[in-house]
Amino acid sequence: MASEAVAVLLLVFLSGSTFGIKLEGNGYTDVLIAINPVVPENPLLIERIKEMMSNASSVLFTATEDKFYFEEITILVPPNWSQGDEAYWQYYSDSIAFKYKVLVHEWAHLRWGVYDEFDDGQPFYKGAHSDIQATRCSLELDGKIVNRINHTNCTHIDPNNKIYTQDCVFLADSEQWENTASLMSYPSLHKVTRFCSNKTHNSEAPNAQNRMCDNRDVMDVIFTSSVDAKANVQPLKGPHPVPRFTVMQRGQRVVCLVLDVSGSMRGSRILQQQQAASLFLTTIVEDHSYVGIVTFTKDAKTLKPLTVIHGEESRTQLVRYLPSEANGGTDICKGLKKGFEELRKDNGNTMGDEIILLTDGESELNCASEVKESGAIVNTIALGPSANKELKMLSEISGGKYFYASENLDQTELVNVFASLTTTNGDLTHQTILLDSSGMKGKGILNGTVSVDHTIGNKTTFLVLHESQSPEDIEIKSPSGQIYDFIDFQHSSISKMHSLVIQGTAETGEWTYTIKNTLSDQYITITITSCAVSDAIPPVTVKAHMSQQSIDGSKPMLVYAEVNQKGVPVILADVMATLKSDSGDQYQLQLLDNGAGADAFRNDGIYSRYFTTSKNGRYNLKVKVQRKNKSKNNGQVRLKRHSVAPYVPGYVIKGKVVMNPPKPPVSEDDLQADVGSFTRTAIGESFSVSLPPGVPPPNFPPNKITDLNAEIEEDKVMLTWTAPGEDMDQGTADSYEIRVSMDLEALRGSFSGAHLMNTSDIRPLEAGSTEEYSFLSSYIINAEPETVMFFAVRSCDKDSLMSDMSNVAKATKIVPFVPTTTTPTISQYPSPNLKDHGKMIRFSGFTIYSVWAKLTFSFLFYKLLTTFLPNSK
């Protein structure tokens, strides 16, 4: 029961974000917890969620020094649950303990952008005083290091790096004071209810928090650079209020199309609107939904009252009511008010209902308060460059989505937008999935391929749109060679559409399409959609979004695409983002899941890239994901599951070791799924760039390197990292600056004061490439039994803009102590610039210093290197 509730909560927080949640004073409002329809009905679950959120609110309040708490929370119940009376919802019995601190742990990830302070990949490290430490925060957290098997004190030391081997594990003492550990490190400890601060932070631990946040403590990130930092919230005097809960039941989807038919919509725009809305009505909107159609000019009228979708006939009937003529002025608010009027006709209110508003006009928007008070979700679509730029505000205040679509007829932007407007109830097996869309203008052939994988295949639809004359020839070819041609399509002369629905389950494999256009001035497009193959097999899905919906150009934005199957990340896919402005400029970015640049974690299924263009305008976002059969994995799409909380193997309780049950083994099914080739397309919300008047577009430096690594390879030390770009992770940097120090804090405090290595022969590679830089060490002179060095890198672009300092890579060399004669050491040289001490020669992938400079640094670079921080959202 408890695990069921946790799964529901994490589904909400992890599947979206905290963007729609507001901070009002000290309290978070508009927190929505939606129970997935697949969860069996259980009245206790409502109370368990209430208990969890109430306890989490108290932990959050304490952890943030009396500043933040959860104030208003809505629990959304599936429509297939019984409605019951008030007593049903208030039924309560004693519940088992919830892992509510894990929820605060995850909230900190998603709301504030902080990272874990534990690390399964590097659980131990050598501390500043050469003592072995467990990777944790803070160092005041006591415990024992025991053998995983027999639970006795662990004595297994790796002879190469002098730290504990993998069969050793750190067990925390369960009776710790609350300020000895962090919620980002050990949220499971009973008394731990705080984050690490500047007084307790372990800045040398090799964890993601230090690597990604410049060794800053969690509290510093929250209060100085997170999304809530600008609010400058002061501690609340007295206890925080108890969260207020509202339990709502999701009914069947109720949506009203509010469509602009003013004079400016004449011609191609009204046709585009008709075609895109037809796709929505015939393919996208779910069975049993209620749909109405309203049009507006200076006035508004209902073309079709709310109609339940119960089969193809009801869908076809709604399509017949779509407007095909345009004339008159524009009053957007009158259209919205008429839409609300229609929505009220099912149950007397508009709470939770939807409006899809499309307009190309600029009429005054004086109905924002009515939109907010309605409780309806308003999705707005701005068609063409003149559409009111305040439409985005209506979506923001109502929890809806905002889209911009150009009026270029050879594009599929408006159709894509309507295809993305599926329900958000969490049941992906009944949603229509956009596989691909493309178009062309002019005489010629439009052809391509689309992959149908094992997770989809039901209701697979090929939709061909044109402007005036039907294409001369249409051919769809299945993987087995079956041909579907023009006569197999259903045709609509009014909306100029041709649709083919594959009966039963579409064949798995590569489908091809060929469309012949004989007119030089006509556009044609094709859109392919499908649904899950069965209720038991969740489909591979893609979500695309920007890091922000608007920006002033002072900082680069980030593009994200999340690819997963039932929450399991899909990796090794090819992901391409297309961003297009309202002025027609188009940019393409290959999104990466390499744990470098904009990407926070490698192989987590979230593909990322910086968008550095700072040209004013509105932009739309389209992401295409493909995976082709490749011999290296026999067509299997590799999946990787990431834990949302640390597994704790055990504790020390009153001096005794008490082990938890073993961590369940990860099956091969969790690591890869044989779905073969697949194709997906996702549409993100539109965003805007607005530079202040007179401010030129900024130049951005190379991105910070976050995966610097160092290793010993026989007689040389090897530094590796992912190449940054000229502008963040775009292009190619101009040069690198590598420095080394024997003092970690000195390197962090003054990068420029550390010893400079000669990198004049390094020619940076294109962003995203793997850089390698190695030094040969022929001698070890006057070496201590253990020598520790720290490396860091900065990169520079052609305009001399410098990146931030990289993460610090640590190198430790363990050698037998052999007395030698006195030899010059690094501290005896006054100049930090190593290139003045000898000639640097580069050959066969590594670099050496000649003459006595080689002798000077031979003992420094003959070190056993370990990764200081492992290489991710």
Side-chain angles (χ1 to χ4, degrees):
M1 181 65 194
S3 60
E4 210 171 63
V6 172
V8 173
L9 289 169
L10 292 181
L11 168 69
V12 175
F13 286 134
L14 296 178
S15 63
S17 65
T18 63
F19 284 157
I21 296 173
K22 299 181 179 65
L23 176 63
E24 298 184 358
N26 295 78
Y28 291 107
T29 62
D30 291 352
V31 179
L32 175 65
I33 300 173
I35 300 176
N36 194 306
V38 302
V39 175
E41 181 175 352
N42 191 324
L44 290 180
L45 183 56
I46 302 296
E47 294 306 323
R48 300 287 173 86
I49 292 174
K50 291 180 180 180
E51 181 188 4
M52 171 177 271
M53 294 303 297
S54 296
N55 286 328
S57 183
S58 297
V59 172
L60 185 67
F61 189 68
T62 300
T64 58
E65 299 178 343
D66 301 345
K67 290 187 177 180
F68 302 129
Y69 63 93
F70 295 122
E71 184 172 349
E72 294 181 357
I73 301 168
T74 298
I75 303 173
L76 193 59
V77 178
N80 55 319
W81 283 28
S82 302
Q83 293 191 31
D85 54 22
E86 186 65 18
Y88 175 91
W89 299 118
Q90 296 301 323
Y91 177 82
Y92 180 81
S93 67
D94 291 337
S95 63
I96 63 177
F98 279 90
K99 301 298 184 183
Y100 45 83
K101 288 189 288 185
V102 173
L103 191 148
V104 176
H105 175 100
E106 290 304 309
W107 174 272
H109 281 314
L110 296 167
R111 182 71 182 184
W112 299 316
V114 298
Y115 295 86
D116 290 328
E117 293 178 309
F118 62 92
D119 193 276
D120 292 333
Q122 194 172 350
F124 301 104
Y125 68 98
K126 294 300 286 289
H129 303 291
S130 298
D131 53 335
I132 303 176
Q133 293 289 349
T135 302
R136 66 198 193 281
C137 193
S138 71
L139 285 173
E140 296 178 11
L141 178 62
D142 293 328
K144 289 184 178 181
I145 298 173
V146 303
N147 186 284
R148 291 180 184 271
I149 306 301
N150 57 30
H151 310 157
T152 60
N153 289 339
C154 199
T155 58
H156 296 174
I157 303 293
D158 189 318
N160 295 316
N161 56 27
K162 298 296 183 182
I163 62 175
Y164 291 111
T165 56
Q166 291 296 316
D167 58 351
C168 299
V169 62
F170 174 76
L171 303 181
D173 191 322
S174 65
E175 295 298 318
Q176 300 281 326
W177 294 106
E178 63 180 26
N179 63 346
T180 60
S182 168
L183 287 168
M184 304 311 294
S185 180
Y186 274 85
S188 58
L189 289 178
H190 175 66
K191 294 184 179 180
V192 174
T193 56
R194 296 184 181 274
F195 299 113
C196 268
S197 65
N198 60 345
K199 295 180 180 179
T200 59
H201 181 58
N202 180 7
S203 62
E204 67 176 24
N207 55 36
Q209 174 64 21
N210 283 330
R211 177 172 61 86
M212 301 300 297
C213 299
D214 298 321
N215 302 92
R216 297 163 60 196
D217 63 87
V218 171
M219 294 291 277
D220 181 48
V221 174
I222 294 173
F223 294 131
T224 65
S225 57
S226 75
V227 66
D228 296 324
K230 60 184 179 181
N232 194 26
V233 173
Q234 299 302 308
L236 194 67
K237 295 181 179 180
H240 67 87
V242 175
R244 298 193 300 274
F245 292 94
T246 301
V247 177
M248 298 178 60
Q249 186 164 32
R250 182 193 294 273
Q252 298 300 334
R253 188 179 187 187
V254 182
V255 58
C256 184
L257 303 182
V258 178
L259 306 176
D260 189 343
V261 292
S262 62
S264 58
M265 289 288 293
R266 289 194 196 103
S268 62
R269 291 183 180 179
I270 196 72
L271 177 60
Q272 278 188 287
Q273 176 176 263
Q274 185 181 28
Q275 291 175 333
S278 294
L279 170 71
F280 178 79
L281 294 173
T282 60
T283 307
I284 304 302
V285 67
E286 300 77 16
D287 286 336
H288 312 298
S289 299
Y290 289 81
V291 181
I293 302 173
V294 165
T295 60
F296 66 92
T297 54
K298 279 293 186 182
D299 271 313
K301 64 179 180 179
T302 299
L303 294 188
K304 182 64 174 173
L306 290 179
T307 301
V308 64
I309 303 291
H310 54 70
E312 294 304 316
E313 177 57 34
S314 56
R315 295 177 183 271
T316 302
Q317 184 184 46
L318 282 164
V319 169
R320 294 194 188 105
Y321 281 88
L322 289 173
S324 58
E325 296 181 354
N327 190 39
T330 306
D331 192 326
I332 296 173
C333 283
K334 282 192 176 179
L336 285 171
K337 292 175 182 178
K338 177 61 74 171
F340 293 146
E341 181 181 314
E342 286 304 314
L343 292 177
R344 293 188 188 97
K345 290 182 179 179
D346 68 325
N347 61 0
N349 67 69
T350 59
M351 184 67 67
D353 295 343
E354 295 176 63
I355 278 182
I356 298 175
L357 168 68
L358 186 152
T359 182
D360 69 345
E362 298 185 81
S363 73
E364 182 181 0
L365 296 179
N366 54 9
C367 52
S369 59
E370 186 170 344
V371 169
K372 185 175 183 179
E373 292 169 3
S374 71
I377 300 166
V378 179
N379 302 297
T380 59
I381 305 170
L383 180 61
S386 300
N388 196 313
K389 292 179 172 57
E390 295 301 314
L391 289 173
K392 185 160 74 76
M393 176 267 296
L394 297 180
S395 294
E396 288 176 347
I397 64 176
S398 66
K401 296 180 179 179
Y402 165 73
F403 300 95
Y404 164 78
S406 73
E407 54 189 331
N408 293 336
L409 298 180
D410 58 334
Q411 303 297 317
T412 58
E413 295 172 19
L414 190 59
V415 169
N416 291 340
V417 167
F418 273 89
S420 70
L421 293 173
T422 57
T423 187
T424 56
N425 66 2
D427 186 1
L428 301 176
T429 60
H430 292 93
Q431 293 182 12
T432 300
I433 297 171
L434 178 61
L435 303 187
D436 198 7
S437 64
S438 62
M440 65 171 288
K441 184 175 183 179
K443 189 175 181 179
I445 302 294
L446 175 62
N447 55 22
T449 62
V450 61
S451 299
V452 174
D453 58 86
H454 297 304
T455 70
I456 58 171
N458 279 344
K459 301 180 182 178
T460 301
T461 303
F462 294 81
L463 178 67
V464 178
L465 307 177
H466 64 92
E467 184 178 4
S468 54
Q469 180 177 310
S470 295
E472 184 175 287
D473 187 29
I474 304 176
E475 180 183 286
I476 308 297
K477 186 177 181 180
S478 75
S480 65
Q482 183 176 353
I483 302 296
Y484 300 86
D485 57 23
F486 191 83
I487 62 173
D488 296 307
F489 281 73
Q490 293 183 344
H491 312 282
S492 171
S493 57
I494 297 177
S495 56
K496 299 178 173 56
M497 301 170 57
H498 310 272
S499 62
L500 170 68
V501 180
I502 305 301
Q503 298 302 307
T505 302
E507 291 180 42
T508 298
E510 299 292 320
W511 289 69
T512 64
Y513 57 85
T514 304
I515 308 170
K516 185 177 181 180
N517 188 14
T518 58
L519 298 183
S520 59
D521 60 347
Q522 173 178 253
Y523 80 91
I524 54 173
T525 67
I526 185 169
T527 301
I528 304 108
T529 60
S530 190
C531 295
V533 68
S534 75
D535 292 348
I537 302 177
V540 173
T541 59
V542 179
K543 293 181 180 179
H545 67 93
M546 303 296 295
S547 57
Q548 296 168 262
Q549 297 308 117
S550 61
I551 198 168
D552 62 6
S554 61
K555 297 180 181 179
M557 302 182 79
L558 288 86
V559 190
Y560 295 110
E562 181 181 355
V563 189
N564 70 75
Q565 184 190 24
K566 196 181 178 180
V568 179
V570 176
I571 66 174
L572 304 182
D574 297 318
V575 182
M576 184 65 67
T578 301
L579 304 97
K580 189 172 181 181
S581 73
D582 53 10
S583 61
D585 296 320
Q586 183 169 299
Y587 309 88
Q588 286 197 319
L589 297 173
Q590 182 180 8
L591 307 188
L592 303 175
D593 189 16
N594 62 353
D599 193 62
F601 293 101
R602 182 182 180 88
N603 290 342
D604 65 350
I606 300 176
Y607 298 74
S608 318
R609 207 71 185 263
Y610 284 107
F611 180 59
T612 58
T613 300
S614 295
K615 185 175 181 180
N616 283 351
R618 291 179 287 190
Y619 293 76
N620 56 40
L621 170 63
K622 176 182 178 180
V623 171
K624 184 174 181 178
V625 181
Q626 291 181 294
R627 177 69 186 177
K628 300 295 183 182
N629 282 332
K630 296 183 179 180
S631 58
K632 66 181 180 180
N633 66 352
N634 296 321
Q636 289 183 324
V637 175
R638 294 189 57 79
L639 305 173
K640 186 172 182 179
R641 185 185 297 276
H642 284 251
S643 175
V644 297
Y647 165 72
V648 179
Y651 302 96
V652 176
I653 301 177
K654 296 182 179 179
K656 294 183 178 181
V657 171
V658 178
M659 302 298 292
N660 285 328
K663 185 178 182 179
V666 180
S667 70
E668 289 300 316
D669 291 339
D670 282 338
L671 296 178
Q672 58 185 18
D674 186 12
V675 299
S677 299
F678 73 91
T679 304
R680 297 290 188 274
T681 297
I683 306 302
E685 283 192 67
S686 298
F687 62 97
S688 60
V689 177
S690 302
L691 271 71
V695 176
N699 292 323
F700 296 111
N703 65 265
K704 173 186 173 180
I705 295 168
T706 58
D707 61 348
L708 179 65
N709 186 38
E711 292 183 1
I712 286 290
E713 295 183 359
E714 297 179 351
D715 59 347
K716 61 184 178 182
V717 63
M718 174 74 76
L719 300 181
T720 60
W721 65 92
T722 302
E726 168 76 11
D727 297 308
M728 305 306 290
D729 58 4
Q730 310 292 310
T732 305
D734 187 65
S735 62
Y736 291 116
E737 179 182 354
I738 303 177
R739 293 185 181 267
V740 59
S741 175
M742 311 285 276
D743 187 326
L744 174 62
E745 293 306 319
L747 180 61
R748 289 175 179 162
S750 178
F751 174 81
S752 59
H755 288 272
L756 178 67
M757 299 167 65
N758 191 334
T759 58
S760 59
D761 282 0
I762 297 182
R763 297 294 178 261
L765 301 176
E766 184 180 0
S769 305
T770 299
E771 296 275 21
E772 295 183 351
Y773 188 55
S774 58
F775 292 86
L776 182 67
S777 181
S778 301
Y779 305 97
I780 300 176
I781 303 174
N782 199 27
E784 298 293 334
E786 179 174 309
T787 305
V788 180
M789 296 176 301
F790 302 96
F791 296 91
V793 183
R794 290 199 307 181
S795 52
C796 183
D797 67 12
K798 65 179 183 296
D799 297 319
S800 299
L801 296 176
M802 299 293 297
S803 72
D804 292 335
M805 187 185 84
S806 72
N807 65 293
V808 177
K810 179 180 178 181
T812 304
K813 177 60 186 178
I814 311 296
V815 297
F817 178 73
V818 179
T820 64
T821 58
T822 302
T823 304
T825 63
I826 194 169
S827 61
Q828 291 176 285
Y829 296 109
S831 171
N833 193 331
L834 305 191
K835 68 181 180 180
D836 297 331
H837 297 314
K839 181 180 179 182
M840 187 175 75
I841 305 169
R842 185 166 185 145
F843 63 93
S844 301
F846 59 88
T847 305
I848 64 171
Y849 286 90
S850 63
V851 203
W852 56 267
K854 175 179 177 181
L855 301 179
T856 301
F857 295 100
S858 60
F859 82 95
L860 288 179
F861 299 117
Y862 193 78
K863 309 297 178 184
L864 174 64
L865 298 182
T866 56
T867 306
F868 180 70
L869 285 176
N871 187 359
S872 358
K873 67 207 219 244

mmCIF file with all atom_site columns, all heavy atoms in Angstrom, residues 36-47:
data_model
loop_
_atom_site.group_PDB
_atom_site.id
_atom_site.type_symbol
_atom_site.label_atom_id
_atom_site.label_alt_id
_atom_site.label_comp_id
_atom_site.label_asym_id
_atom_site.label_entity_id
_atom_site.label_seq_id
_atom_site.pdbx_PDB_ins_code
_atom_site.Cartn_x
_atom_site.Cartn_y
_atom_site.Cartn_z
_atom_site.occupancy
_atom_site.B_iso_or_equiv
_atom_site.pdbx_formal_charge
_atom_site.auth_seq_id
_atom_site.auth_comp_id
_atom_site.auth_asym_id
_atom_site.auth_atom_id
_atom_site.pdbx_PDB_model_num
ATOM 1  N N   . ASN A 1 36 ? -2.585  7.730  -11.067 1.00 0.00 ? 36 ASN A N   1
ATOM 2  C CA  . ASN A 1 36 ? -2.635  7.058  -12.357 1.00 0.00 ? 36 ASN A CA  1
ATOM 3  C C   . ASN A 1 36 ? -3.860  6.158  -12.436 1.00 0.00 ? 36 ASN A C   1
ATOM 4  O O   . ASN A 1 36 ? -4.164  5.443  -11.481 1.00 0.00 ? 36 ASN A O   1
ATOM 5  C CB  . ASN A 1 36 ? -1.359  6.232  -12.541 1.00 0.00 ? 36 ASN A CB  1
ATOM 6  C CG  . ASN A 1 36 ? -1.166  5.784  -13.969 1.00 0.00 ? 36 ASN A CG  1
ATOM 7  O OD1 . ASN A 1 36 ? -2.037  5.176  -14.562 1.00 0.00 ? 36 ASN A OD1 1
ATOM 8  N ND2 . ASN A 1 36 ? -0.001  6.081  -14.516 1.00 0.00 ? 36 ASN A ND2 1
ATOM 9  N N   . PRO A 1 37 ? -4.585  6.165  -13.558 1.00 0.00 ? 37 PRO A N   1
ATOM 10 C CA  . PRO A 1 37 ? -5.784  5.325  -13.678 1.00 0.00 ? 37 PRO A CA  1
ATOM 11 C C   . PRO A 1 37 ? -5.519  3.836  -13.518 1.00 0.00 ? 37 PRO A C   1
ATOM 12 O O   . PRO A 1 37 ? -6.451  3.072  -13.236 1.00 0.00 ? 37 PRO A O   1
ATOM 13 C CB  . PRO A 1 37 ? -6.280  5.638  -15.103 1.00 0.00 ? 37 PRO A CB  1
ATOM 14 C CG  . PRO A 1 37 ? -5.749  6.991  -15.405 1.00 0.00 ? 37 PRO A CG  1
ATOM 15 C CD  . PRO A 1 37 ? -4.419  7.063  -14.723 1.00 0.00 ? 37 PRO A CD  1
ATOM 16 N N   . VAL A 1 38 ? -4.271  3.385  -13.686 1.00 0.00 ? 38 VAL A N   1
ATOM 17 C CA  . VAL A 1 38 ? -3.989  1.956  -13.543 1.00 0.00 ? 38 VAL A CA  1
ATOM 18 C C   . VAL A 1 38 ? -3.925  1.533  -12.081 1.00 0.00 ? 38 VAL A C   1
ATOM 19 O O   . VAL A 1 38 ? -3.920  0.331  -11.785 1.00 0.00 ? 38 VAL A O   1
ATOM 20 C CB  . VAL A 1 38 ? -2.663  1.587  -14.245 1.00 0.00 ? 38 VAL A CB  1
ATOM 21 C CG1 . VAL A 1 38 ? -2.718  1.958  -15.707 1.00 0.00 ? 38 VAL A CG1 1
ATOM 22 C CG2 . VAL A 1 38 ? -1.468  2.251  -13.577 1.00 0.00 ? 38 VAL A CG2 1
ATOM 23 N N   . VAL A 1 39 ? -3.886  2.493  -11.140 1.00 0.00 ? 39 VAL A N   1
ATOM 24 C CA  . VAL A 1 39 ? -3.836  2.154  -9.718  1.00 0.00 ? 39 VAL A CA  1
ATOM 25 C C   . VAL A 1 39 ? -5.221  1.673  -9.265  1.00 0.00 ? 39 VAL A C   1
ATOM 26 O O   . VAL A 1 39 ? -6.218  2.358  -9.483  1.00 0.00 ? 39 VAL A O   1
ATOM 27 C CB  . VAL A 1 39 ? -3.404  3.374  -8.878  1.00 0.00 ? 39 VAL A CB  1
ATOM 28 C CG1 . VAL A 1 39 ? -3.465  3.051  -7.385  1.00 0.00 ? 39 VAL A CG1 1
ATOM 29 C CG2 . VAL A 1 39 ? -1.997  3.811  -9.267  1.00 0.00 ? 39 VAL A CG2 1
ATOM 30 N N   . PRO A 1 40 ? -5.307  0.495  -8.648  1.00 0.00 ? 40 PRO A N   1
ATOM 31 C CA  . PRO A 1 40 ? -6.611  -0.002 -8.192  1.00 0.00 ? 40 PRO A CA  1
ATOM 32 C C   . PRO A 1 40 ? -7.240  0.941  -7.171  1.00 0.00 ? 40 PRO A C   1
ATOM 33 O O   . PRO A 1 40 ? -6.545  1.577  -6.384  1.00 0.00 ? 40 PRO A O   1
ATOM 34 C CB  . PRO A 1 40 ? -6.269  -1.358 -7.555  1.00 0.00 ? 40 PRO A CB  1
ATOM 35 C CG  . PRO A 1 40 ? -4.956  -1.756 -8.145  1.00 0.00 ? 40 PRO A CG  1
ATOM 36 C CD  . PRO A 1 40 ? -4.215  -0.472 -8.392  1.00 0.00 ? 40 PRO A CD  1
ATOM 37 N N   . GLU A 1 41 ? -8.552  0.997  -7.178  1.00 0.00 ? 41 GLU A N   1
ATOM 38 C CA  . GLU A 1 41 ? -9.259  1.878  -6.258  1.00 0.00 ? 41 GLU A CA  1
ATOM 39 C C   . GLU A 1 41 ? -9.033  1.452  -4.812  1.00 0.00 ? 41 GLU A C   1
ATOM 40 O O   . GLU A 1 41 ? -9.136  0.279  -4.468  1.00 0.00 ? 41 GLU A O   1
ATOM 41 C CB  . GLU A 1 41 ? -10.752 1.871  -6.573  1.00 0.00 ? 41 GLU A CB  1
ATOM 42 C CG  . GLU A 1 41 ? -11.559 2.781  -5.663  1.00 0.00 ? 41 GLU A CG  1
ATOM 43 C CD  . GLU A 1 41 ? -13.022 2.846  -6.064  1.00 0.00 ? 41 GLU A CD  1
ATOM 44 O OE1 . GLU A 1 41 ? -13.365 2.306  -7.132  1.00 0.00 ? 41 GLU A OE1 1
ATOM 45 O OE2 . GLU A 1 41 ? -13.813 3.431  -5.306  1.00 0.00 ? 41 GLU A OE2 1
ATOM 46 N N   . ASN A 1 42 ? -8.706  2.420  -3.967  1.00 0.00 ? 42 ASN A N   1
ATOM 47 C CA  . ASN A 1 42 ? -8.500  2.158  -2.543  1.00 0.00 ? 42 ASN A CA  1
ATOM 48 C C   . ASN A 1 42 ? -8.677  3.478  -1.796  1.00 0.00 ? 42 ASN A C   1
ATOM 49 O O   . ASN A 1 42 ? -7.873  4.392  -1.963  1.00 0.00 ? 42 ASN A O   1
ATOM 50 C CB  . ASN A 1 42 ? -7.106  1.589  -2.286  1.00 0.00 ? 42 ASN A CB  1
ATOM 51 C CG  . ASN A 1 42 ? -6.960  1.048  -0.870  1.00 0.00 ? 42 ASN A CG  1
ATOM 52 O OD1 . ASN A 1 42 ? -7.517  1.595  0.076   1.00 0.00 ? 42 ASN A OD1 1
ATOM 53 N ND2 . ASN A 1 42 ? -6.205  -0.027 -0.734  1.00 0.00 ? 42 ASN A ND2 1
ATOM 54 N N   . PRO A 1 43 ? -9.702  3.600  -0.974  1.00 0.00 ? 43 PRO A N   1
ATOM 55 C CA  . PRO A 1 43 ? -9.952  4.863  -0.275  1.00 0.00 ? 43 PRO A CA  1
ATOM 56 C C   . PRO A 1 43 ? -8.822  5.254  0.668   1.00 0.00 ? 43 PRO A C   1
ATOM 57 O O   . PRO A 1 43 ? -8.618  6.430  0.948   1.00 0.00 ? 43 PRO A O   1
ATOM 58 C CB  . PRO A 1 43 ? -11.253 4.599  0.485   1.00 0.00 ? 43 PRO A CB  1
ATOM 59 C CG  . PRO A 1 43 ? -11.331 3.107  0.605   1.00 0.00 ? 43 PRO A CG  1
ATOM 60 C CD  . PRO A 1 43 ? -10.704 2.570  -0.641  1.00 0.00 ? 43 PRO A CD  1
ATOM 61 N N   . LEU A 1 44 ? -8.064  4.278  1.191   1.00 0.00 ? 44 LEU A N   1
ATOM 62 C CA  . LEU A 1 44 ? -6.966  4.608  2.100   1.00 0.00 ? 44 LEU A CA  1
ATOM 63 C C   . LEU A 1 44 ? -5.860  5.389  1.405   1.00 0.00 ? 44 LEU A C   1
ATOM 64 O O   . LEU A 1 44 ? -5.132  6.141  2.047   1.00 0.00 ? 44 LEU A O   1
ATOM 65 C CB  . LEU A 1 44 ? -6.379  3.326  2.699   1.00 0.00 ? 44 LEU A CB  1
ATOM 66 C CG  . LEU A 1 44 ? -7.251  2.567  3.701   1.00 0.00 ? 44 LEU A CG  1
ATOM 67 C CD1 . LEU A 1 44 ? -6.517  1.336  4.197   1.00 0.00 ? 44 LEU A CD1 1
ATOM 68 C CD2 . LEU A 1 44 ? -7.636  3.461  4.870   1.00 0.00 ? 44 LEU A CD2 1
ATOM 69 N N   . LEU A 1 45 ? -5.756  5.217  0.102   1.00 0.00 ? 45 LEU A N   1
ATOM 70 C CA  . LEU A 1 45 ? -4.672  5.875  -0.619  1.00 0.00 ? 45 LEU A CA  1
ATOM 71 C C   . LEU A 1 45 ? -4.782  7.391  -0.524  1.00 0.00 ? 45 LEU A C   1
ATOM 72 O O   . LEU A 1 45 ? -3.766  8.089  -0.432  1.00 0.00 ? 45 LEU A O   1
ATOM 73 C CB  . LEU A 1 45 ? -4.679  5.424  -2.082  1.00 0.00 ? 45 LEU A CB  1
ATOM 74 C CG  . LEU A 1 45 ? -3.558  5.980  -2.973  1.00 0.00 ? 45 LEU A CG  1
ATOM 75 C CD1 . LEU A 1 45 ? -2.193  5.654  -2.381  1.00 0.00 ? 45 LEU A CD1 1
ATOM 76 C CD2 . LEU A 1 45 ? -3.670  5.414  -4.378  1.00 0.00 ? 45 LEU A CD2 1
ATOM 77 N N   . ILE A 1 46 ? -6.005  7.905  -0.524  1.00 0.00 ? 46 ILE A N   1
ATOM 78 C CA  . ILE A 1 46 ? -6.193  9.357  -0.412  1.00 0.00 ? 46 ILE A CA  1
ATOM 79 C C   . ILE A 1 46 ? -5.594  9.854  0.902   1.00 0.00 ? 46 ILE A C   1
ATOM 80 O O   . ILE A 1 46 ? -4.856  10.856 0.936   1.00 0.00 ? 46 ILE A O   1
ATOM 81 C CB  . ILE A 1 46 ? -7.687  9.716  -0.484  1.00 0.00 ? 46 ILE A CB  1
ATOM 82 C CG1 . ILE A 1 46 ? -8.302  9.205  -1.780  1.00 0.00 ? 46 ILE A CG1 1
ATOM 83 C CG2 . ILE A 1 46 ? -7.881  11.232 -0.351  1.00 0.00 ? 46 ILE A CG2 1
ATOM 84 C CD1 . ILE A 1 46 ? -7.746  9.819  -3.020  1.00 0.00 ? 46 ILE A CD1 1
ATOM 85 N N   . GLU A 1 47 ? -5.911  9.164  1.992   1.00 0.00 ? 47 GLU A N   1
ATOM 86 C CA  . GLU A 1 47 ? -5.406  9.597  3.291   1.00 0.00 ? 47 GLU A CA  1
ATOM 87 C C   . GLU A 1 47 ? -3.901  9.378  3.413   1.00 0.00 ? 47 GLU A C   1
ATOM 88 O O   . GLU A 1 47 ? -3.211  10.138 4.086   1.00 0.00 ? 47 GLU A O   1
ATOM 89 C CB  . GLU A 1 47 ? -6.151  8.871  4.409   1.00 0.00 ? 47 GLU A CB  1
ATOM 90 C CG  . GLU A 1 47 ? -7.621  9.233  4.501   1.00 0.00 ? 47 GLU A CG  1
ATOM 91 C CD  . GLU A 1 47 ? -7.827  10.737 4.619   1.00 0.00 ? 47 GLU A CD  1
ATOM 92 O OE1 . GLU A 1 47 ? -7.019  11.397 5.291   1.00 0.00 ? 47 GLU A OE1 1
ATOM 93 O OE2 . GLU A 1 47 ? -8.790  11.244 4.023   1.00 0.00 ? 47 GLU A OE2 1
#
